Amino acid sequence: MSASHDEDRLLHHDYDGIQEYDNPMPRWWLYIFWGTIVWAVLFWFNVPGIGVGQGRIADYDASVAAANAARPPEPVAGPSADQLLAMSKDPAALASGKTVFGAYCVACHGPDGGGVIGPNLTDAFWIHGGSPAAVYATVHDGVLAKGMPAWGQSLKPDEVTAVVAYVISLQGTTPAAPKPPEGTADTAAATPASGS
Ligand code: HEC
């Protein structure tokens, strides 16, 4: 591949006694060089506004979408009903749940859960279901159309879990100014908490 010294040609100039050979670049080097130029021309065709392709960013988004379709993200697994019920009787969990409730929930549900803008959380009547899983889903995902925020987006996962356990523990308590029942009776949460 590389040129031998026999093929080297002495260039016809001589500066202060210094002469030089015309040494061509190795073939492999030239092929790569020309290859990059050809590639650059082809590449321009995938630039939006210039070429016919949709562009690198759309290509990237398409391959991410294809990868996500091939392996869909797993749904966020909340704690099990048993874990929530156990936490609703665990003083440490209830203490942190009460802190979260005091910071984020009292404005709409009252300091004792009796209800203000939001419904009464102490009675057996639920708009969105009173089972531990249903309460968890309501708190985590919110009811945005009715003004209940999606707390899964702003609280840490263990804060959501703790405040749900605290809400479950409020079942059967007597708030100072209870809001009248809303929704339908669902004692799924009331039964276990009444033992604590
Ligand atoms: C900005 C006001 C607001 C805040 C803050 C708020 N909520 Fe609510 N919440 C609501 C409203 C309004 C509803 C009723 C939604 C409906 O009518 O569908 C509701 C409903 C609920 C329900 C379902 C009640 C049922 O009957 O099914 C639960 C549980 C609940 N909130 C828990 C919480 C917890 C826990 C927090 C704090 C982390 C919280 N909420 C903070 C306004 C609020």
Side-chain angles (χ1 to χ4, degrees):
M1 267 299 211
S2 66
S4 77
H5 273 277
D6 296 332
E7 292 163 5
D8 288 344
R9 197 159 51 86
L10 203 56
L11 292 175
H12 295 294
H13 56 239
D14 181 342
Y15 299 114
D16 297 334
I18 298 171
Q19 292 179 284
E20 59 176 334
Y21 284 128
D22 178 13
N23 281 328
M25 298 301 291
R27 285 270 162 74
W28 62 263
W29 192 96
L30 281 172
Y31 289 151
I32 293 173
F33 177 67
W34 290 113
T36 58
I37 293 173
V38 171
W39 174 253
V41 171
L42 296 176
F43 194 76
W44 272 95
F45 282 107
N46 197 26
V47 175
I50 295 171
V52 294
Q54 51 184 349
R56 286 169 300 138
I57 294 171
D59 283 349
Y60 170 78
D61 288 343
S63 37
V64 168
N68 284 342
R71 199 171 62 83
E74 289 171 20
V76 181
S80 72
D82 288 344
Q83 281 171 305
L84 286 170
L85 291 176
M87 283 179 77
S88 74
K89 294 170 192 157
D90 170 23
L94 290 181
S96 53
K98 188 176 179 145
T99 309
V100 176
F101 194 87
Y104 300 105
C105 318
V106 292
C108 295
H109 291 284
D112 48 15
V116 186
I117 301 165
N120 185 342
L121 299 177
T122 68
D123 61 13
F125 290 83
W126 297 89
I127 305 167
H128 300 285
S131 71
V135 175
Y136 182 88
T138 310
V139 174
H140 188 275
D141 302 331
V143 188
L144 298 181
K146 297 292 181 66
M148 165 67 181
W151 295 101
Q153 291 174 3
S154 50
L155 298 181
K156 297 192 195 112
D158 51 345
E159 289 177 323
V160 174
T161 310
V163 80
V164 169
Y166 180 73
V167 167
I168 293 170
S169 80
L170 293 177
Q171 274 300 298
T173 61
T174 310
K179 233 182 142 181
E182 293 168 76
T184 52
D186 183 349
T187 50
T191 315
S194 59
S196 63

